[in-house]
Amino acid sequence: MGWNQVKQKQNHPIFAGIPDDANFYFVHSYYGTPEDKSVILAETEYGITFCSGIAKDNLVGVPVPSRKKR
């Protein structure tokens, strides 16, 4: 949790204007482990290296904080 560097594993438009190893804020420690490693878009190290983004065709998945509607 907190600020961590995101290592881009693939060139993708979602990273346009964002340098490799840029810092992103993580609000939880949940992560997924895709069976198909070719979809890994980004990885982050926090004690272990974990998948912090996936992409396949026109679908992109990244961990974002859930927001409570007020």
Side-chain angles (χ1 to χ4, degrees):
M1 291 183 28
W3 291 99
N4 292 291
Q5 290 182 319
V6 172
K7 178 74 175 166
Q8 299 172 21
K9 303 304 282 184
Q10 297 183 38
N11 185 21
H12 193 279
I14 198 168
F15 290 130
I18 300 172
D20 194 19
D21 292 323
N23 287 311
F24 287 80
Y25 192 79
F26 290 78
V27 297
H28 56 71
S29 58
Y30 301 113
Y31 64 91
T33 305
E35 290 181 13
D36 180 0
K37 302 299 182 202
S38 71
V39 302
I40 296 175
L41 180 62
E43 292 181 331
T44 300
E45 168 112 12
Y46 188 71
I48 62 166
T49 300
F50 63 92
C51 175
S52 55
I54 61 170
K56 182 168 173 103
D57 300 326
N58 65 340
L59 178 68
V60 175
V62 294
V64 296
S66 59
R67 298 286 180 184
K68 189 175 191 181
K69 207 170 191 177
R70 295 177 192 225

